């Protein structure tokens, strides 16, 4: 039987058994609408309120500053559009390596007359806070910079950018979908006004996420209807999902630090194993300021989709860059912004480790990678001279 190794945790994670157990009653026994005032509704509302309080404790914020959404994409759209439309016009700053949920939202806002500056990154994928400072204009309405990149794992200098934003009284939105529950986040110390996070990246269910909105931040709703979420996001709450997200956050609060140390060690073992066995390979992203479990390899003169498919035949799940651009044969926009040469960028393979990953898994994948890359370079060289 082929060994199965899942190394795509940045795309999605299996739901933690403790999370499943907490959610189950909300599919059957506790089924009321949380907006209803009768006992059935109040039972559901208690689950929603408990989840909100758990997340608020984790972020050290007020429960009233949290809004539940359907996913990280909606949270990003809500944050960027909500800030922009609250001001009506003006200028936005983001980076060239953002998730498409932010990039395409900014592009859409350009169609409504907003000006957008897309700041670049260095060869490690890191934003220069000085470039953000130089981009600020008198009419800058908002800044949106991700906390960490899902493809290469680079953690951005949010604290420095947050200080700039505070000095200029410009609201700062941070897409923390890849860092929430993986590394510590202090929204006050970092100067964050809005923070996007999601459930299915931290062993919670899909279809549930949230947005932290600092009290006093000028925002408008982008979804209209009922009085839900203090009139900030209309729509009947996904009660089982919210309960699951709350439990997932509670579990992450307990396990996060120990898992980060373990995954960092496994990531180092992985990289050392690959570079010892495979010639012409690089580790993309920042060498130290990176997500604990993210290893993004660049294999020169080979096409990443072929490596992904070869590993899949060996029972190994990895991705070619971001899962949200799967099937796209163009190099990742992140690697392009980093200035990675085409002959390296086309061979980008992202491996993201998680709570089930073992040292034996890593050694197995290293054993699989070497012959796959060797064979591909022999029969399907990409960009070779």
């Amino acid at each position: 039987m082929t060994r199965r190794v899942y190394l795509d945790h940045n795309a999605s994670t299996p739901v933690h058994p403790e999370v499943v157990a907490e959610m189950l009653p909300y599919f059957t026994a506790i089924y009321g609408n949380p907006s209803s005032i009768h006992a059935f509704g109040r039972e559901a509302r208690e689950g929603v309120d408990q989840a909100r309080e758990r997340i608020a404790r984790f972020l050290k914020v007020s429960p009233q500053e949290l809004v539940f959404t359907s996913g990280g994409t909606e949270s990003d759209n809500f944050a960027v559009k909500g800030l922009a439309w609250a001001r009506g016009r003006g200028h936005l700053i983001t980076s060239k390596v953002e998730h498409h949920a932010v990039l395409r939202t900014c592009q859409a806002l350009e169609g409504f007359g907003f000006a957008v500056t897309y700041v670049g990154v260095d060869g490690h994928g890191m934003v220069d806070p000085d470039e953000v400072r130089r981009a600020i204009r008198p009419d800058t309405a908002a800044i949106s910079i991700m906390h960490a990149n899902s493809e290469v794992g680079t953690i951005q200098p949010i604290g420095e950018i947050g200080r700039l934003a505070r000095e200029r009284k410009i609201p700062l939105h941070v897409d923390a979908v890849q860092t929430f529950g993986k590394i510590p986040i202090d929204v006050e110390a970092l100067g964050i006004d809005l923070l996007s996070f999601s459930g299915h990246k931290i062993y919670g269910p899909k279809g549930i996420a949230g947005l932290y909105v600092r009290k006093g931040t000028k925002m408008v709703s982008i979804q209209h209807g009922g009085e839900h979420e203090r009139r900030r996001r209309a729509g009947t709450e996904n009660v089982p999902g919210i309960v699951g997200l709350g439990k997932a956050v509670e579990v992450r609060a307990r396990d996060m630090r120990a898992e980060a140390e373990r995954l960092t060690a496994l990531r180092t073992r992985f990289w050392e194993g690959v570079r010892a066995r495979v010639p012409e390979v690089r580790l993309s992203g920042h060498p130290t300021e990176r997500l604990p479990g993210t290893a993004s390899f660049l294999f020169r003169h080979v096409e990443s989709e072929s490596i992904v498919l070869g590993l899949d035949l060996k029972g190994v799940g990895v991705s070619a860059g971001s899962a949200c651009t799967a099937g796209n044969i163009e190099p990742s926009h992140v690697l392009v912004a980093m200035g990675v040469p085409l002959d390296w960028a086309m061979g980008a393979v992202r491996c993201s480790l998680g709570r089930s990953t073992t040292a034996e898994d890593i050694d197995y994948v290293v054993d699989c990678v070497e012959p796959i890359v060797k064979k591909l370079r022999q029969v399907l060289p990409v960009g070779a001279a």
Side-chain angles (χ1 to χ4, degrees):
M1 181 178 177
T2 303
R3 186 185 187 106
R4 287 172 59 84
V5 180
Y6 183 73
L7 296 182
D8 204 14
H9 290 82
N10 284 7
S12 194
T13 55
V15 182
H16 195 288
E18 293 180 43
V19 174
V20 174
E22 187 119 347
M23 291 174 66
L24 282 176
Y26 292 86
F27 288 108
T28 53
I30 307 173
Y31 49 81
N33 188 317
S35 295
S36 300
I37 62 173
H38 48 60
F40 299 93
R42 293 197 303 273
E43 287 177 338
R45 172 58 57 187
E46 287 173 7
V48 171
D49 290 345
Q50 182 186 53
R52 203 186 305 272
E53 288 167 5
R54 283 172 166 171
I55 299 167
R57 281 197 302 272
F58 183 69
L59 282 175
K60 297 182 176 62
V61 301
S62 166
Q64 287 71 42
E65 295 176 302
L66 298 173
V67 182
F68 291 118
T69 69
S70 64
T73 292
E74 185 189 341
S75 292
D76 286 344
N77 272 257
F78 182 15
V80 178
K81 290 176 183 174
L83 287 171
W85 288 344
R87 287 146 184 83
R89 63 178 65 84
H91 171 244
L92 309 172
I93 299 172
T94 190
S95 85
K96 294 180 180 179
V97 298
E98 298 298 310
H99 190 279
H100 285 117
V102 168
L103 286 177
R104 290 175 180 163
T105 296
C106 288
Q107 290 163 4
L109 287 168
E110 288 182 283
F112 287 95
F114 287 87
V116 182
T117 298
Y118 300 88
V119 299
V121 294
D122 63 15
H124 294 313
M126 187 170 284
V127 171
D128 182 352
D130 283 339
E131 189 171 349
V132 176
R133 178 182 54 77
R134 289 191 294 270
I136 293 174
R137 304 182 345 187
D139 64 339
T140 299
I143 300 171
S144 180
I145 302 291
M146 63 175 23
H147 198 186
N149 187 271
S150 67
E151 295 185 38
V152 300
T154 297
I155 298 172
Q156 302 296 347
I158 294 300
E160 296 177 60
I161 296 169
R163 283 191 290 274
L164 287 172
R166 284 276 174 89
E167 290 169 3
R168 307 297 181 90
K169 295 183 171 54
I170 301 168
L172 172 65
H173 164 246
V174 172
D175 177 349
V177 167
Q178 288 296 340
T179 55
F180 180 80
K182 297 179 183 179
I183 61 174
I185 300 174
D186 187 328
V187 296
E188 185 61 39
L190 295 175
I192 298 171
D193 297 299
L194 299 97
L195 186 92
S196 300
F197 56 93
S198 182
H200 74 109
K201 310 293 189 182
I202 56 168
Y203 311 99
K206 296 176 180 66
I208 186 64
L211 180 68
Y212 158 72
V213 182
R214 184 181 296 278
K215 185 178 180 181
T217 302
K218 188 179 179 183
M219 289 277 290
V220 297
S221 299
I222 63 171
Q223 184 165 306
H224 303 94
E227 307 297 310
H228 314 85
E229 296 297 293
R230 296 174 177 264
R231 301 191 69 179
R232 294 174 295 189
R233 196 268 188 183
T236 301
E237 292 92 340
N238 172 8
V239 178
I242 291 171
V243 168
L245 174 57
K247 183 62 178 181
V249 169
E250 183 180 70
V251 173
R252 295 313 298 157
R254 181 190 72 203
D255 299 344
M256 179 176 72
R257 292 183 185 275
E259 183 173 303
E261 291 178 6
R262 190 181 71 86
L263 293 185
T264 298
L266 285 177
R267 187 194 71 209
T268 300
R269 181 190 187 104
F270 197 9
W271 167 232
E272 290 178 348
V274 170
R275 71 175 178 175
R277 303 271 293 273
V278 181
E280 294 196 283
V281 61
R282 296 177 182 173
L283 183 68
S284 65
H286 197 279
T288 57
E289 297 301 311
R290 62 187 301 123
L291 290 170
T294 301
S296 182
F297 302 123
L298 303 178
F299 297 95
R300 193 180 187 197
H301 295 324
V302 66
E303 202 271 317
S304 61
E305 292 286 350
S306 298
I307 300 175
V308 172
L309 292 173
L311 285 172
D312 185 46
L313 292 174
K314 295 291 186 179
V316 180
V318 300
S319 72
S322 171
C324 298
T325 56
N328 190 338
I329 61 171
E330 295 298 317
S332 155
H333 73 283
V334 175
L335 298 179
V336 170
M338 290 167 59
V340 177
L342 186 63
D343 56 341
W344 289 93
M346 293 302 291
V349 175
R350 182 192 70 184
C351 304
S352 42
L353 290 55
R355 62 185 294 268
S356 64
T357 309
T358 65
E360 291 76 19
D361 290 335
I362 295 302
D363 294 344
Y364 173 75
V365 178
V366 172
D367 287 340
C368 292
V369 166
E370 181 185 17
I372 290 172
V373 173
K374 183 177 181 179
K375 182 177 180 180
L376 288 172
R377 283 176 172 160
Q378 290 173 341
V379 300
L380 292 171
V382 176

